[in-house]
Amino acid sequence: MTAIGLTAATLTTISFLPQVLRTLRTRDTRSISVGMYATLVAGVGLWLVYGLLTRDMPIIIANAITFLFSGTVFVLKLRYG
């Protein structure tokens, strides 16, 4: 079960990496929805809290990294949007 969780966590987490890298490289955030990223960052933050409370490592790891990635895009959107 943990292997499935870690695989799912890895795939969903790395899916954010291309957007983060593109946004960092180009500083172009025109096509990024601030509302969508605000909601995403809040939801991922809550999943991280849930993982910490339940001590579920796949949830903690995936959501900590996803929070960092999506938070980076969100901050760049606020800064350059």
Side-chain angles (χ1 to χ4, degrees), residues 19 23 28-41 70 73-75 77-78 81:
Q19 183 68 61
T23 306
D28 180 12
T29 61
R30 289 174 292 176
S31 64
I32 295 172
S33 167
V34 72
M36 181 270 191
Y37 265 86
T39 305
L40 177 67
V41 170
S70 60
V73 173
F74 182 62
V75 168
K77 173 64 178 176
L78 294 177

Side-chain angles (χ1 to χ4, degrees), residues 5 8 13 15 21 27 29 35 44-45 49 53 60 62 65 67-68:
T13 298
S15 71
L21 295 175
R27 304 284 194 242
T29 61
V44 170
V49 170
L53 292 173
I60 294 168
I65 296 169
F67 187 80
L68 177 68

